[in-house]
Amino acid sequence: MSNKCCILLALLLAGMLLFSSCSAGSEGVAPAPTATAAERTSGVGFYFDTVVTIVLYGAPEGLLDEIWADCARYEQLLSKTIQGSDVDRINHAGGQPVQVDHETWEILRRAIEVSDSSGHAFSVTIAPLTALWDFTGGTNRMPTDEERLAALPLVNDDLMILGENDTVTLPEGMEVDLGGIAKGYIADQIAEAIRGRVLGATLNFGGNVYAVGIKPDASPFRVGIRDPQGGDNDSIAVVSVSDLSVVTSGIYERYFELNGVRYHHILDPETGISSDSDLASATIISKSSMTADAMATACIVMGRDKALQYLAEQGMDGLLITRSGEIVTTDGFEDLYSLMRLK
Ligand code: ADP
Ligand code: MG
């Protein structure tokens, strides 16, 4: 919990938002709303292991609280580490079918679709591998070959059964990890819930942004794309969007370095090791934040050439940044989103 408060404190010091108090809940941190101008309401919270920043224009009283309540509910449903969550129950069912909330079932269904279309570059059953790596704990420990090879056969999305009445069955030992898709789903749901009730809004789930509606001056929202070689607030380019989600997966989010190699949180399901593809980040713009989220993760694993082909096949708009700093986009991207390069 102190870790989470530290992140919030850092935000405060960075002068990003006014933050008057932080009362710790069971997992998330209850946010403090700030009304900095008559029409603008904003708040910052900590959910899904991520700093969540919400800015609303022309919102009715209480809407921000509704959003935080949704975040808390989704965290209770989808977190791998909360006992009794749907994901926890699926992961510890010992091979038995588990009935879950329809939303959980639906996320898994979509996850399997992206898994299939991406040739399993995105694998929702990645959990036995992610459990071997510790990208947040600071131990910088690499799993042994033995551990990794034992976990690899447990990562196989084809073996998950999504049955009738929202049941999920996994063979014993297998587990799911929604880290690569859940934030997208939640962004979609919250965007849907507030659409028509605000003039505009930005929902930012740590690199997963939904721009709802338009800004008060009727212009589109401008969303920065992070420079993979820069710091947290360094953008390499800016896109203009309205009513769209801009989702970036990057190899700079959670990582450690060992013997000159960067090990980051996006794993190649074939090797069980952090993807060593030529991509440093993948940004996808779409109405569906969930699809963009899962596909952005897949793109990192695929690497530049395969990812470009994949996005074109899927009719998705993307911007990829290679490890050497080259920016490549799908056809038409620059014009569609008035791409502005800053570097
Ligand atoms: P972030 O969560 O930083 O926005 P991503 O959307 O790319 O980034 O998701 C990364 C998370 O997804 C990891 O922390 C892990 O939980 C999970 N994950 C890692 N590798 C894969 C993979 N190949 N397929 C599906 N999920 C993955
Ligand atoms: Mg993702």
Side-chain angles (χ1 to χ4, degrees):
M1 194 55 73
S2 63
N3 224 355
K4 296 177 178 181
C5 283
C6 279
I7 295 171
L8 289 171
L9 195 61
L11 272 178
L12 173 79
L13 292 174
M16 286 179 68
L17 283 160
L18 288 171
F19 197 79
S20 59
S21 71
C22 121
S23 68
S26 61
E27 280 294 319
V29 173
T34 58
T36 51
E39 288 289 307
R40 185 180 184 275
T41 320
S42 66
V44 61
F46 194 85
Y47 296 93
F48 331 113
D49 251 339
T50 301
V51 175
V52 179
T53 309
I54 308 286
V55 180
L56 307 172
Y57 297 96
E61 180 96 20
L63 188 61
L64 195 54
D65 288 339
E66 271 181 46
I67 293 174
W68 296 128
D70 277 343
C71 287
R73 183 172 68 82
Y74 283 121
E75 187 162 59
Q76 291 297 320
L77 204 59
L78 305 173
S79 167
K80 202 159 55 104
T81 52
I82 294 180
Q83 237 191 345
S85 74
D86 274 359
V87 170
D88 178 61
R89 292 188 305 114
I90 292 168
N91 289 349
H92 298 104
Q96 294 303 307
V98 179
Q99 188 167 27
V100 295
D101 192 286
H102 181 64
E103 291 193 88
T104 309
W105 192 90
E106 189 56 28
I107 297 169
L108 289 169
R109 190 185 67 76
R110 285 293 297 138
I112 293 300
E113 280 181 6
V114 177
S115 176
D116 287 343
S117 71
S118 70
H120 303 311
F122 179 88
S123 291
V124 76
T125 56
I126 197 87
L129 283 172
T130 48
L132 295 179
W133 294 83
D134 182 19
F135 294 111
T136 42
T139 54
N140 295 7
R141 178 184 175 270
M142 209 182 151
T144 63
D145 287 350
E146 208 181 2
E147 287 171 324
R148 199 167 45 80
L149 295 176
L152 275 176
L154 299 173
V155 178
N156 186 344
D157 285 6
D158 290 339
L159 300 182
M160 178 164 65
I161 300 167
L162 297 176
E164 284 182 5
N165 299 322
D166 303 325
T167 56
V168 182
T169 315
L170 272 183
E172 186 155 12
M174 284 182 59
E175 294 189 12
V176 295
D177 174 350
L178 300 182
I181 190 169
K183 279 179 281 174
Y185 177 81
I186 295 159
D188 284 336
Q189 296 309 305
I190 294 176
E192 186 58 33
I194 68 171
R195 218 170 255 137
R197 298 172 70 195
V198 292
L199 183 61
T202 55
L203 316 171
N204 188 341
F205 298 87
N208 203 316
V209 177
Y210 211 117
V212 182
I214 47 170
K215 286 203 304 210
D217 66 2
S219 63
F221 288 100
R222 288 150 59 92
V223 180
I225 295 174
R226 181 168 158 176
D227 179 356
Q229 284 164 13
D232 284 359
N233 297 315
D234 286 329
S235 294
I236 197 168
V238 177
V239 289
S240 295
V241 290
S242 56
D243 258 323
L244 284 169
S245 183
V246 182
V247 180
T248 302
S249 279
I251 65 170
Y252 46 76
E253 285 289 352
R254 296 169 203 269
Y255 69 93
F256 60 79
E257 267 159 23
L258 212 62
N259 306 323
V261 179
R262 174 182 295 206
Y263 296 100
H264 58 85
H265 73 321
I266 299 172
L267 301 177
D268 184 335
E270 273 185 18
T271 62
I273 302 173
S274 306
S275 160
D276 64 354
S277 83
D278 54 358
L279 287 184
S281 79
T283 298
I284 297 181
I285 301 184
S286 168
K287 286 265 180 217
S288 169
S289 194
M290 168 166 62
T291 306
D293 192 0
M295 286 188 179
T297 306
C299 284
I300 297 285
V301 175
M302 290 176 170
R304 178 201 143 124
D305 293 348
K306 268 181 136 178
L308 274 180
Q309 197 190 332
Y310 177 59
L311 293 175
E313 264 168 33
Q314 298 293 318
M316 299 293 281
D317 297 325
L319 179 149
L320 312 174
I321 304 176
T322 64
R323 290 197 192 220
S324 61
E326 192 193 351
I327 299 178
V328 288
T329 66
T330 52
D331 285 350
F333 187 99
E334 301 216 17
D335 291 340
L336 275 171
Y337 307 111
S338 310
L339 180 70
M340 200 166 77
R341 293 170 192 254
L342 303 178
K343 286 180 189 169

